[in-house]
Amino acid sequence: MKVPFPPANNHNSSKTALSSTPTTTLPAASATTTTAASSPYEPKSVLELRSSPSPVSDHKPASNNTCAADLLLADDPLQLDQDHHMLINPQEWDSWMRELGLHDDSTTPVSKQLTSHSDQSHQNHYSNDLLEFPPVISSLDSNHDHSNWNVVGFDYVDELIRLAECFETNSLQLGQVILARLNQRLRSPIGKPLQRAAFYFKEALQSLLTGSARLAHQPANSSEIIQTIKAQKTFSNISPIPMFSSFTANQALLEAIDGSSQVHIIDFDIGFGGHWASFMKELADKADSRKAAPPVIRISALVPEEYAAESRLIRENLSQFARELNIRFEIDFILIRTFEYLSFKAIKFMDGERVAVLLTPAIFRHVGTGFLNDLRRASPHVVVHIDVEGQMGYGAPSYRQAVIDGLEFYSTLLESMEAANFNVAGGGGDWMRRIETFVLYPKIVEGIQAASRRGTAWREALVAAGLRQVGLSQFADFQAECLLRRVQVRGFHVVKRQAEMLLCWHDRPLVATSAWRF
């Protein structure tokens, strides 16, 4: 989705056209942009606004090959609850919560709530037609006068960007005035994807203006932790984004450590740990097929100080799963604040193990990219980076640019979720609201906070540290295609850009996975 923004200096004005075929190879970033005659109109600038292109066809030729992703998911214990990212069996959920001292405020047992995809008794807070995209102007050209764009109902976007600029100029009183107008214009997260994204960015900027942003993205109590877990679960159920991130990253890790019986993963963004399920099972299955000793898996997870309850849940959950697989497993939690001072000296290493590193933009928001210069001390066999936030956040040149990039990314993400939600869950608006509140909004808050910290972008920092990007395997391509066949949501497709693998919604990347080595 392209959003109408006021003119900005030094903003990239070209977009690389994507083919509508399911798997595409994009030209290098420096190559001249070309568009086939049959391709949809491609705007010349981010300032231009157009409707989403027609959904790409998901028809693929039949194949006699068995998809590795299907094999993993068929045997995955997560399949018991139709969720490939949450390891907890629904029947055991309430006892887990009691042991951890977590209690849901709702009267319905958590296990029953988790097994339902939608609740028709909830009022749908969204438009009646979830697949109708925001009102757009499809006939704009490079000569269009964007000074009149606000007449089509997007004036809140201009106000939102003006509010972001107030942080650059330290015009906080003006910011309060603009915020008051935005609070009248964006009262609640309803409407089309762009309007809902704008509401969450308004809330994030308001929390920054009032000084409450530091805690706005953190679960305040046990009930919010449970709600966050349920929202993450639902997100995994209705969207291919979490599964694409998990499978592409895990495949890169598996190929790098193949043949090793001792594996050490340094995870800089463990979440709730569910993404390690298929990885652990694959290692166990390989050991069985080779009649080798069970593998030894160690995970060093970087977590914030307020992550105590989640850490206990992750430890017990993954340890139980490892016992079922008959593999040796150990997990250590390192506070991010400790790592910020000690770098990789805060992590325990052992002789004979193969080390792999998993990175996301989240860690750069906390400690910057300087620690990458020490990465060679860990001697990793591979460094995998998963970008699920577009260009927003750490390394953004300004608050203004962070808001512009973030609005484009999250409005596109919400648009894709509406299509997926309608396809899988019948369009239940309450599930969408939970995902937006407990999964997406905290990331928006963190991204806005990070805009105040200037630093080297992650890609340049990896290169400066001596790492080189390596391509993902054809098997990873095959897995990604299998995943999309399972999801069957029109509009998603896999793209290869140089050595990266991207999951796109029409012409907009939502996830980019890349592998790096010394």
Side-chain angles (χ1 to χ4, degrees):
M1 175 187 299
K2 299 297 184 295
V3 203
F5 298 122
N9 295 328
N10 301 324
H11 188 77
N12 185 9
S13 61
S14 63
K15 296 278 185 180
T16 304
L18 302 181
S19 169
S20 61
T21 55
T23 304
T24 312
T25 300
L26 293 183
S30 58
T32 303
T33 302
T34 58
T35 306
S38 60
S39 299
Y41 168 74
E42 184 70 20
K44 301 299 188 297
S45 170
V46 72
L47 303 178
E48 296 189 44
L49 179 67
R50 64 170 177 83
S51 61
S52 297
S54 301
V56 296
S57 173
D58 282 330
H59 175 72
K60 297 175 178 66
S63 172
N64 294 326
N65 295 328
T66 302
C67 177
D70 290 340
L71 290 175
L72 284 174
L73 296 178
D75 295 330
D76 199 326
L78 310 179
Q79 184 73 5
L80 294 174
D81 197 28
Q82 297 164 351
D83 172 26
H84 314 302
H85 287 259
M86 303 307 298
L87 298 174
I88 302 173
N89 189 307
Q91 286 73 27
E92 300 174 352
W93 183 270
D94 295 323
S95 62
W96 278 114
M97 294 299 101
R98 285 193 296 271
E99 291 178 12
L100 293 167
L102 303 178
H103 304 282
D104 196 355
D105 293 337
S106 62
T107 57
T108 305
V110 175
S111 58
K112 293 183 179 180
Q113 294 181 27
L114 285 173
T115 55
S116 175
H117 280 294
S118 61
D119 186 347
Q120 297 301 325
S121 65
H122 287 291
Q123 179 183 2
N124 189 342
H125 298 283
Y126 302 93
S127 59
N128 292 330
D129 185 0
L130 287 176
L131 297 183
E132 178 187 355
F133 298 125
V136 292
I137 300 175
S138 58
S139 59
L140 295 178
D141 56 34
S142 58
N143 297 321
H144 181 75
D145 181 7
H146 298 283
S147 62
N148 296 322
W149 63 265
N150 57 348
V151 299
V152 298
F154 292 98
D155 52 300
Y156 56 85
V157 176
D158 187 23
E159 293 276 54
L160 197 61
I161 295 172
R162 291 179 187 274
L163 177 58
E165 290 172 342
C166 289
F167 290 93
E168 301 292 340
T169 60
N170 200 31
S171 305
L172 301 186
Q173 287 187 334
L174 176 60
Q176 293 285 3
V177 173
I178 296 174
L179 181 61
R181 293 199 296 263
L182 282 171
N183 282 330
Q184 293 296 318
R185 185 71 173 84
L186 301 169
R187 294 175 178 268
S188 61
I190 60 174
K192 303 299 183 178
L194 175 59
Q195 186 170 352
R196 301 207 306 278
F199 170 83
Y200 292 117
F201 273 89
K202 182 264 295 183
E203 291 290 299
L205 289 169
Q206 177 170 290
S207 68
L208 192 64
L209 193 62
T210 59
S212 60
R214 189 180 67 85
L215 298 177
H217 62 279
Q218 301 167 1
N221 49 53
S222 60
S223 178
E224 285 194 12
I225 293 174
I226 296 173
Q227 292 296 330
T228 301
I229 294 173
K230 293 193 291 186
Q232 290 277 9
K233 170 186 167 57
T234 307
F235 187 32
S236 299
N237 283 339
I238 70 172
S239 173
I241 292 173
M243 186 61 68
F244 177 89
S245 304
S246 176
F247 269 111
T248 52
N250 284 352
Q251 187 58 36
L253 295 171
L254 287 167
E255 291 170 1
I257 63 174
D258 187 40
S260 176
S261 60
Q262 299 184 57
V263 178
H264 182 190
I265 306 295
I266 304 175
D267 190 344
F268 283 89
D269 189 8
I270 196 168
F272 291 104
H275 54 283
W276 293 119
S278 58
F279 177 84
M280 294 167 67
K281 186 167 191 333
E282 180 69 9
L283 285 182
D285 289 345
K286 285 187 176 183
D288 287 342
S289 65
R290 296 169 180 170
K291 300 187 183 304
V296 179
I297 302 175
R298 286 204 312 122
I299 296 178
S300 296
L302 280 290
V303 296
E305 292 183 352
E306 63 277 2
Y307 222 61
E310 293 91 331
S311 297
R312 290 181 58 197
L313 178 62
I314 295 167
R315 183 189 302 277
E316 295 300 324
N317 201 9
L318 291 179
S319 297
Q320 174 62 33
F321 188 50
R323 286 191 290 269
E324 294 174 2
L325 295 175
N326 192 31
I327 62 177
R328 293 174 57 189
F329 175 78
E330 178 183 336
I331 184 167
D332 295 321
F333 294 98
I334 297 96
L335 295 181
I336 291 176
R337 177 175 294 183
T338 301
F339 181 82
E340 188 173 6
Y341 286 104
L342 299 179
S343 188
F344 288 94
K345 294 179 181 178
I347 300 175
K348 179 175 64 176
F349 294 95
M350 295 182 179
D351 294 336
E353 61 185 11
R354 288 196 177 183
V355 179
V357 176
L358 184 63
L359 295 171
T360 73
I363 188 60
F364 305 134
R365 291 195 295 263
H366 289 287
V367 300
T369 56
F371 73 93
L372 295 175
N373 293 323
D374 299 328
L375 191 56
R376 193 181 292 272
R377 296 180 182 178
S379 301
H381 281 69
V382 69
V383 176
V384 177
H385 182 272
I386 306 174
D387 188 356
V388 291
E389 300 175 19
Q391 302 176 33
M392 180 187 172
Y394 184 82
S398 63
Y399 283 102
R400 182 186 196 278
Q401 199 59 52
V403 168
I404 290 176
D405 292 336
L407 275 178
E408 283 204 35
F409 178 82
Y410 281 99
S411 59
T412 302
L413 177 58
L414 291 175
E415 182 183 295
S416 75
M417 284 171 51
E418 283 193 349
N421 185 43
F422 187 86
N423 184 68
V424 177
D430 185 62
W431 292 113
M432 288 283 291
R433 181 68 59 82
R434 292 189 185 189
I435 296 172
E436 292 172 12
T437 301
F438 294 102
V439 179
L440 304 186
Y441 175 62
K443 292 183 180 295
I444 290 173
V445 173
E446 289 186 355
I448 289 297
Q449 284 182 279
S452 64
R453 297 190 288 270
R454 307 290 186 261
T456 306
W458 66 266
R459 190 183 300 274
E460 287 75 12
L462 286 172
V463 172
L467 287 150
R468 57 182 176 83
Q469 193 169 348
V470 295
L472 300 177
S473 68
Q474 291 184 344
F475 189 64
D477 293 350
F478 180 59
Q479 281 190 315
E481 289 299 329
C482 286
L483 171 62
L484 293 191
R485 286 200 294 271
R486 289 173 58 89
V487 174
Q488 296 182 345
V489 178
R490 299 178 64 190
F492 285 106
H493 61 115
V494 179
V495 171
K496 294 184 70 175
R497 182 177 64 190
Q498 298 178 352
E500 281 183 310
M501 186 178 297
L502 291 79
L503 177 66
C504 295
W505 173 250
H506 297 297
D507 66 338
R508 176 76 184 195
L510 294 177
V511 185
T513 303
S514 57
W516 301 74
R517 295 183 182 180
F518 284 107

